[in-house]
Amino acid sequence: MEAQNYMLAVSSVLVAALTVYSMFYLSRKFSGRNQKNRAVRAVSIIFIGSAGMSVMHLLGLKSLPGTGFAAGKDGFILPLTLYVLTLAGMFYLFSRLRMLLAEREQLKELAYRDSLTSLLNKNGMDHFWDHCKPNEQLAVLFLDLNRFKSINDTLGHHVGDLLLQAVGTTLSQFSSKGKRHIFRIGGDEFVIIAKRCGRKEAEQLALRILEKTTRNYRLEKHELFVSASIGITMSHGKIDRQKLLKEADSAMYNAKQLGSGRYSVYKEENATPAKAGNSVSLLHSGVTSSNVLDHKRSSMRA
């Protein structure tokens, strides 16, 4: 019986060592930022950790029956020690799993966040689309800063980055968990996606965003008046991510043609085409009174 207990103890230690080694090996092998690799790593680690803990637990229990106090004080100490060590090993593996999962969440956060503005990035947008309900009612707002390239080229990329950070901070105020998501998809282009949002609500949201972003920015020694343009589109039926982004982008360029600090709503007309050979028309609305925006611009030039 004593020899059997020693064998069980050695077996339990070997299982623990093999389990920990396998988990660390998988952590190194699938350490890339690819989403598929991270998913494979997490599932494999959980499976191996659970299997290892189960085997260790069974070995610990197997060493106890028949030993009892009747087997003498010395015959009871080894199985009890083995069982305690098995439980300690289980808790250790659980703690390692929690640390690994926490690390995975941190990497996920880094992969889905824009380093400059802390808003969600393109990866975050892809994750949103992948988990969006097929027929979810969405409003997609495509925002672009006016004269950003000129500012970037004239005053330098550092000032451009400061402007993007300021705009990102402003836009983050409109984020609402589970309802509105803000993305920076590149350069000075931002996308706001609102769930369960009708056209009227989307236009009101665009007005609020433009009122907050079309303003005076103080960036170090520079003081700039910057406006934005927004294109809006609504989802109808099954969601087509590429179509929605293309429509919102098209509406945004139309808003730019109408003047700075405006938004434009994309609307597809099935009955009467707006132009010959084109069945698409763009309806627009100003941000606030255009006189207010003109007054702001005049005051900045003075």
Side-chain angles (χ1 to χ4, degrees):
M1 178 63 68
E2 189 172 345
Q4 181 183 354
N5 288 338
Y6 276 115
M7 290 298 296
L8 290 172
V10 172
S11 299
S12 182
V13 171
L14 289 175
V15 169
L18 182 62
T19 301
V20 173
Y21 174 78
S22 299
M23 292 169 65
F24 280 108
Y25 174 77
L26 287 170
S27 297
R28 292 195 303 269
K29 186 174 179 62
F30 297 98
S31 59
R33 292 191 175 185
N34 182 274
Q35 186 174 359
K36 183 179 180 180
N37 285 350
R38 295 199 306 269
V40 171
R41 182 184 65 176
V43 172
S44 301
I45 287 175
I46 292 173
F47 175 77
I48 291 175
S50 301
M53 286 186 289
S54 299
V55 173
M56 290 169 63
H57 184 66
L58 290 173
L59 290 173
L61 286 176
K62 191 173 181 181
S63 65
L64 287 177
T67 55
F69 288 101
K73 183 178 179 181
D74 293 337
F76 186 74
I77 291 177
L78 179 61
L80 182 61
T81 303
L82 176 62
Y83 191 68
V84 170
L85 290 176
T86 302
L87 292 177
M90 291 174 64
F91 283 118
Y92 172 76
L93 290 176
F94 269 124
S95 66
R96 290 300 306 171
L97 281 172
R98 289 184 63 183
M99 290 177 62
L100 288 170
L101 291 174
E103 178 189 354
R104 178 177 178 271
E105 288 301 316
Q106 290 177 355
L107 289 174
K108 180 180 176 181
E109 186 73 11
L110 289 173
Y112 290 167
R113 289 284 173 183
D114 174 54
S115 59
L116 184 62
T117 62
S118 296
L119 297 174
L120 293 167
N121 57 18
K122 281 187 176 181
N123 292 330
M125 177 178 285
D126 290 338
H127 183 266
F128 170 83
W129 290 123
D130 291 340
H131 293 78
C132 190
K133 295 178 181 178
N135 296 310
E136 184 106 48
Q137 183 183 10
L138 301 176
V140 179
L141 287 71
F142 199 115
L143 181 146
D144 184 87
L145 299 179
N146 298 314
R147 300 189 306 111
F148 176 76
K149 187 177 185 303
S150 176
I151 294 171
N152 217 25
D153 293 343
T154 304
L155 302 179
H157 294 284
H158 175 62
V159 175
D161 288 346
L162 291 176
L163 176 59
L164 291 174
Q165 288 175 341
V167 173
T169 300
T170 300
L171 291 177
S172 65
Q173 301 172 12
F174 295 93
S175 178
S176 177
K177 188 174 182 180
K179 182 168 176 61
R180 283 194 297 272
H181 304 266
I182 318 294
F183 307 90
R184 180 189 173 217
I185 61 173
D188 60 328
E189 295 178 335
F190 300 85
V191 172
I192 302 96
I193 302 180
K195 293 183 176 181
R196 300 177 296 278
C197 180
R199 173 174 168 170
K200 183 177 180 180
E201 186 180 352
E203 291 190 49
Q204 292 173 347
L205 176 61
L207 282 172
R208 296 201 307 272
I209 291 174
L210 287 171
E211 287 170 353
K212 290 288 186 179
T213 55
T214 301
R215 63 181 177 86
N216 187 28
Y217 292 87
R218 186 170 186 81
L219 309 171
E220 293 184 342
K221 62 180 180 180
H222 306 286
E223 192 164 353
L224 307 171
F225 180 82
V226 179
S227 63
S229 299
I230 294 179
I232 307 173
T233 190
M234 312 296 300
S235 65
H236 301 283
K238 188 175 181 180
I239 291 175
D240 184 339
R241 66 179 77 178
Q242 299 298 333
K243 183 172 180 287
L244 288 173
L245 291 174
K246 186 177 180 180
E247 290 175 352
D249 182 52
S250 176
M252 183 271 296
Y253 277 105
N254 185 76
K256 282 181 176 290
Q257 294 175 0
L258 298 171
S260 60
R262 291 177 176 266
Y263 72 82
S264 174
V265 180
Y266 185 96
K267 184 177 180 181
E268 186 174 356
E269 298 287 353
N270 296 320
T272 306
K275 296 180 181 179
N278 190 344
S279 62
V280 174
S281 68
L282 295 169
L283 306 180
H284 70 272
S285 172
V287 176
T288 58
S289 170
S290 58
N291 293 330
V292 174
L293 295 178
D294 291 339
H295 173 71
K296 288 183 178 179
R297 295 189 192 96
S298 299
S299 65
M300 285 305 303
R301 294 191 186 99

